Amino acid sequence: MHDFATRLLAWRRRFGRRGLPWQGTRDPYRVWLSEIMLQQTRVATVVPYYERFVARFPTLQRLASARLSQVMPYWSGLGYYARARNLHACARHLVGDHGGKFPRSASELARLPGIGRSTAAAIAAFSRSERAAICDGNVKRVLARYFAIDGDPRASAMERRLSAQAQRLLPPARSMPAYTQAMMDLGATVCLRRAPKCAVCPLQPTCKAFREGRVDELPLRHAARPTPVRKAHLLVAMRDGAVLLQRRPPTGIWGSLLSLPQFASRAQLRSVLAAIGEAHLSTLPERRHAFTHFTLEFTPHLAIIERRRRQTTEAGAVWWPLSRLESAALPAPVRRLLRELHSASTRSATRKRDTML
Ligand code: SF4
C-alpha cells in the first residue's frame, strides 16, 4: 500500500471524525443523500437537515413517490436548491428506469442526473468498497500541496492530473470506506484552505509543499473577481395573520421554493399591489444575500392590506398563515425577514393588549 494511504488510515483510526449520522452506512441512498447535502455546505449545518430528511424519506422509493413540493420544505434554508430538484428527479429516474436500485459502479453512477464523478466515487467506495477516488475541492487542495503541483485546480488538465494521482494512491478495496472518509476528514479538519494545520498532519513527513515551504502558495489561486450585484424589490403583503407567498419557477435562484413576490422595480410592485387591495405601504431597510456568483440586494416593502380586491392572487400564489411559517419551503433570508416581522407584530399586539387591560 502507498505510504500516503498507510499514514492516512492510521491517522483516521485515532483522529477521524466520528458519530456523523451518515457514517458507517453502506446504503447507497443514504451515502448519496449525505454527499449531495455536503456539497458546498458545512457538516454542522447538514446534520439536522440530513436527519429530518431521512426520517421523512427513509428510502429511495419514498423520495421518488413524493411530490417536489413535499420535498422542498426539507431543503429549505440549506441553499443550492438545484441539488434538491436533481435529487428528486434522480430518485424518480432510478425507480422508473433502474428498478429502484443504484447502479453498482462509479462510472455508471456518474451518468445519473446531478451525480458528478466525485460523488459517484464516494457512493461506490462507501457502499461497495470500489476502488474509486473522490476528487472534490478539498481532495484537490490536499494533493496539489502534497505533490507540490502548480496550476489552477479548476483547469481541466490540472483536474485530470490530480484525479490520476488520487487514483494511484488508493488502498486495497477492503480499506476504501475508511480511506475515503479519511481523505474527507483531512481536507475538512487539517489541510484547510487557510492556515492548514501542518504541525498535526499525518502526511507532513512526505508532503512536498511542506518540505519546500510552499504550503501558503498552493494550490494556485486566481485573483477574486468582484461579485456582481443584482437588485430586487420584495412585496411583503399581509392580511389577517397571513402573508402572500408565490411559488418560484423550477429553475433559477430559489427554484421551486415559496417566496415573496419579487419585482425589478418599485413601480411594478406598486401596480401589482394595487390589484391586490388597498394597503398601508412602508419600505423597510435594504438587505443583502450572497449567492455563489452574485449578491442580491433586496428591498422589502411591507403592505398591510386594509381592503382586499376580488381577483388578487396570481397562479402559484397563496396566502400563508404566519403561524405556520416554519412548515413553508422558504429561502433562508426570506424566512429570517418574515420571522422578524412576525415576532415584531406579535410583540406590538401584546403591548396593545397590555395597555388596554
Ligand atoms: Fe496539507 Fe500541511 Fe499536511 Fe501538507 S503537511 S498535506 S500542506 S496539512
Side-chain angles (χ1 to χ4, degrees), residues 142 145-146 186 190-191 196-198 201 203-204 207 209-210 215:
V142 172
R145 285 174 176 162
Y146 185 80
L186 191 89
V190 176
C191 194
K197 300 174 182 170
C198 301
C201 177
L203 304 176
Q204 191 222 76
C207 174
F210 183 80
V215 172

Side-chain angles (χ1 to χ4, degrees), residues 284-306:
L284 304 175
E286 187 178 77
R287 294 173 173 232
R288 291 167 67 87
H289 183 71
F291 290 92
T292 324
H293 302 299
F294 69 95
T295 298
L296 181 69
E297 288 181 355
F298 62 94
T299 307
H301 300 267
L302 177 61
I304 306 297
I305 308 292
E306 279 151 7

Side-chain angles (χ1 to χ4, degrees), residues 12 16-23 47 51:
R12 156 100 189 120
R17 293 176 293 184
R18 307 255 172 241
L20 300 175
W22 49 83
Q23 283 179 333
V47 168
E51 287 177 332

Side-chain angles (χ1 to χ4, degrees), residues 230-251:
R230 292 187 199 166
K231 300 261 186 192
H233 295 265
L234 298 190
L235 173 62
V236 193
M238 290 189 178
R239 68 165 180 87
D240 303 335
V243 62
L244 185 66
L245 298 178
Q246 196 160 32
R247 178 86 50 203
R248 304 266 317 169
T251 52

Side-chain angles (χ1 to χ4, degrees), residues 1 20 26 47 76 92 97 116 120 205 211 245 253 271 300 311-312 351 353 357:
M1 185 159 34
L20 300 175
R26 289 181 79 85
V47 168
S76 164
R92 290 196 159 180
D97 300 344
R211 210 170 51 231
L245 298 178
I253 63 159
S271 88
Q311 64 306 25
T312 56
R351 263 200 308 275
R353 206 184 49 230
L357 287 174

Side-chain angles (χ1 to χ4, degrees), residues 5 39 72 121 127 130 141 163 211 244 246 299 306-307 337 339:
Q39 286 167 3
M72 294 312 283
S127 63
E130 182 180 327
R141 181 175 62 249
S163 167
R211 210 170 51 231
L244 185 66
Q246 196 160 32
T299 307
E306 279 151 7
R307 195 169 322 142
L337 169 68
R339 266 191 199 142

